[in-house]
Amino acid sequence: MIELPELVAGGLAAGTLSALALGGGLLRSRRQKAALRAEVTELRARLEGTEGAFITEVEHLAARRMPAAAAQLAHPHLKVPGPAGRHTPGTPTGIALEYVLTALREELTAQRTRIDAAAQAGLRGATREIQAALYRLQDALRGLQQRYDDPELAQTLFTLDHENEQSLRRAQVAAVVCGAWVGLAREESHVVDAVTGGLARLSGYHRVQVNNHLEPGTALVSHAVEPVAIIVAELLDNALRHSAPDTAVVVNLEHVHHGVCVTVDDAGLGMTQDERARAQRLVAGSDPILLTDLGDPPRMGLAAIGQLTRQFDLNVDVSSPSPYGGVRAVLRVDTHLLGRIDPGERPPAASAPRSTRERAVREEPVREAAVRTTPVREEAVREEAMREEAVRETPVPEAPAPAVGPDRSEAVAGPPPDRSGTAAEHGRTPAPGREDPGDPAGPGGLPQRRRRTSAAAPDVPQPQPAARRPEEAAAALAALQYGTAAARAPKRANAPGPQRTDDEGGTAG
């Protein structure tokens, strides 16, 4: 039988063990709760930090990155700032923000293209009406030029016609930038005529020096004439605007392996590297052109060149500096756009510069003929000198000289000298147009002194007269108009006979 003390001791031991077990469980539970509380606190702090960083990124996106991305569409050299946080790129948040920027760029590009297309359509319609009105005005001015021949009125009409031509060029350039056709269909023309036609549309044309080194008859096909004239006019306009008014702009027309090049050199300010790259991008015509990219007010010259180079397969390069310190612009017209015109049947315009090759071809036969006939001329001059010497050495008896007129330069007298060696005795025939000096007797048996003439030479091709310059042609036209006006003007009633009066040369009635 178990004793009471032992039972009590066993109960106490069991209670103690139970208490110890419960205490350990409570302790472990408290520790777990503390760990959970710390973990929750840490997670909450991380969440708050992530939320703050996300808010910061969104604010940075709206305040800086999106405006920069919108401006970059108009100014590609601008850079878009990156995310505000260093660790954001590559994270889901960073990738999502980049998607936002990409969608923004696409939508802005579509909106700009749609708005610009609407603006170009409106401008194209307006320029079409303006061009039609300017063409009608041009026809009216040219009709007045043909109708009236008063010099002052003609000069005024020419000035108005030139101003109208400049306005027409600006309207035509605006229409071309907006995608319209060039507006004119011309027939096949000389390359030099297309260049001078573009030159005539500018206000400072007198500063341009054109050197034509092309073969005579080099021409453009019909559909390339007006585009070439527009491109040359715009290149020359840029050269004239960005160079001093007392400097010249040099234009050279030359043959190259792939066709013909028109080179424009100015002595202006030149361009920086960025400006040259932008200008080359515009004239290349590879990128679509938007009116909003051309500035305010829009500068359409280079943009029009880019449109024409893309449409008509032309090539323009403005990436090289000029040897005069400005910009060198080169227009290349490939062989498939070139043709041939007989310069004898259809010569270039009178105002167009003559080809240096044409002058060389014309002067070469003259030089060869001069070289071939030089010995013949020298022999004839030598024989003439010997005959004149024989006449001077023959003694002449004194005799009264006959009376001569006031315009007679010399008079000689005396019997004819006795000549034993005449040209007939020596078997020589006098030169045509000149009597034999061996028989100098004139009327009355007096010897006549012959005027010395050069011996006739074989037929030699004579050089053709040089082409009349524009100044000479203008002077001739002014003289013709002056004479016509003088013939039409009524004379005063008190004017004596056919003498000139003060009314001659005035305004034609």
Side-chain angles (χ1 to χ4, degrees):
M1 176 174 188
I2 301 175
E3 295 181 0
L4 181 62
E6 293 178 354
L7 291 173
V8 171
L12 290 176
T16 302
L17 292 175
S18 299
L20 290 175
L22 291 174
L26 290 174
L27 183 61
R28 285 195 301 272
S29 175
R30 289 179 180 177
R31 289 177 180 176
Q32 290 177 354
K33 288 181 179 179
L36 289 175
R37 290 193 190 97
E39 185 177 358
V40 169
T41 303
E42 182 182 359
L43 291 174
R44 185 175 295 171
R46 290 175 58 184
L47 179 61
E48 291 176 354
T50 303
E51 182 182 3
F54 181 76
I55 294 174
T56 303
E57 289 291 347
V58 173
E59 292 176 349
H60 180 66
L61 175 70
R64 298 190 59 188
R65 301 186 69 189
M66 293 179 68
Q72 190 183 40
L73 297 177
H75 307 284
H77 63 279
L78 295 179
K79 293 183 178 180
V80 179
R86 295 183 304 171
H87 306 290
T88 304
T91 62
T93 302
I95 296 174
L97 295 178
E98 291 297 331
Y99 284 156
V100 171
L101 290 179
T102 302
L104 175 66
R105 291 189 183 98
E106 293 176 352
E107 184 61 25
L108 287 178
T109 301
Q111 292 293 336
R112 288 185 64 200
T113 304
R114 184 163 53 251
I115 295 172
D116 202 87
Q120 289 188 17
L123 184 59
R124 186 165 56 247
T127 53
R128 185 181 295 113
E129 297 296 330
I130 294 173
Q131 280 183 281
L134 292 176
Y135 280 130
R136 290 193 297 268
L137 179 59
Q138 187 180 63
D139 293 338
L141 289 173
R142 292 181 179 177
L144 292 174
Q145 293 171 10
Q146 297 294 329
R147 182 177 179 182
Y148 299 102
D149 55 2
D150 179 66
E152 295 183 359
L153 179 59
Q155 181 62 36
T156 302
L157 292 175
F158 286 144
T159 303
L160 293 176
D161 190 20
H162 190 244
E163 291 294 332
N164 181 75
E165 189 70 31
Q166 296 180 61
S167 301
L168 185 59
R169 179 182 67 85
R170 295 186 183 97
Q172 189 178 30
V173 167
V176 168
V177 171
C178 294
W181 191 248
V182 291
L184 288 176
R186 299 184 182 273
E187 63 179 359
E188 192 176 23
S189 302
H190 294 273
V191 175
V192 66
D193 282 345
V195 172
T196 54
L199 171 62
R201 304 175 185 182
L202 306 174
S203 58
Y205 61 90
H206 58 280
R207 292 172 48 200
V208 180
Q209 175 186 348
V210 181
N211 302 316
N212 182 12
H213 305 299
L214 301 177
E215 289 286 348
T218 304
L220 293 167
V221 296
S222 59
H223 64 273
V225 176
E226 187 63 17
V228 168
I230 295 175
I231 291 176
V232 170
E234 293 308 312
L235 293 178
L236 288 175
D237 182 66
N238 285 336
L240 292 172
R241 287 178 181 272
H242 296 90
S243 59
D246 57 345
T247 59
V249 176
V250 182
V251 180
N252 290 297
L253 281 66
E254 298 176 313
H255 283 284
V256 294
H257 178 72
H258 295 288
V260 167
C261 276
V262 181
T263 306
V264 179
D265 287 308
D266 66 77
L269 301 175
M271 293 189 294
T272 63
Q273 189 66 30
D274 293 339
E275 292 173 339
R276 189 177 292 113
R278 178 180 180 275
Q280 184 61 38
R281 188 168 59 253
L282 285 175
V283 300
S286 56
D287 299 332
I289 297 174
L290 300 178
L291 294 180
T292 52
D293 295 337
L294 303 180
D296 184 18
R299 302 171 63 181
M300 299 185 177
L302 297 179
I305 293 175
Q307 291 277 38
L308 295 174
T309 55
R310 184 175 65 252
Q311 293 176 9
F312 295 94
D313 196 19
L314 298 167
N315 296 275
V316 175
D317 180 82
V318 293
S319 60
S320 302
S322 169
Y324 305 106
V327 177
R328 164 168 287 184
V330 181
L331 165 64
R332 192 182 81 238
V333 183
D334 291 337
T335 308
H336 67 278
L337 296 175
L338 298 176
R340 173 75 182 174
I341 295 178
D342 187 357
E345 296 181 359
R346 285 181 54 194
S351 59
R354 294 295 177 239
S355 172
T356 55
R357 301 193 180 192
E358 179 183 359
R359 289 196 294 268
V361 171
R362 188 171 60 231
E363 293 172 359
E364 185 62 27
V366 177
R367 287 195 298 266
E368 294 179 357
V371 171
R372 290 196 303 267
T373 58
T374 298
V376 179
R377 291 181 181 272
E378 292 179 354
E379 182 65 24
V381 171
R382 191 180 301 110
E383 293 179 359
E384 179 67 18
M386 293 174 61
R387 292 176 184 175
E388 292 293 337
E389 185 67 24
V391 171
R392 286 195 298 270
E393 292 179 356
T394 302
V396 180
E398 296 181 359
V404 296
D407 56 345
R408 180 79 175 267
S409 59
E410 294 182 3
V412 296
D418 183 14
R419 294 198 179 272
S420 58
T422 61
E425 294 175 354
H426 289 78
R428 292 195 303 267
T429 304
R434 182 169 57 97
E435 297 181 4
D436 188 358
D439 186 17
L446 296 176
Q448 300 294 324
R449 193 164 188 177
R450 309 299 184 194
R451 185 177 298 274
R452 182 173 180 178
T453 58
S454 60
D459 293 338
V460 179
Q462 298 298 327
Q464 300 179 1
R468 179 179 293 181
R469 295 181 301 173
E471 295 82 0
E472 297 175 353
L477 178 59
L480 177 61
Q481 293 176 344
Y482 179 84
T484 304
R488 292 183 178 180
K491 299 181 180 179
R492 293 182 180 177
N494 58 356
Q499 296 181 358
R500 178 174 176 174
T501 64
D502 295 337
D503 292 335
E504 291 186 20
T507 304

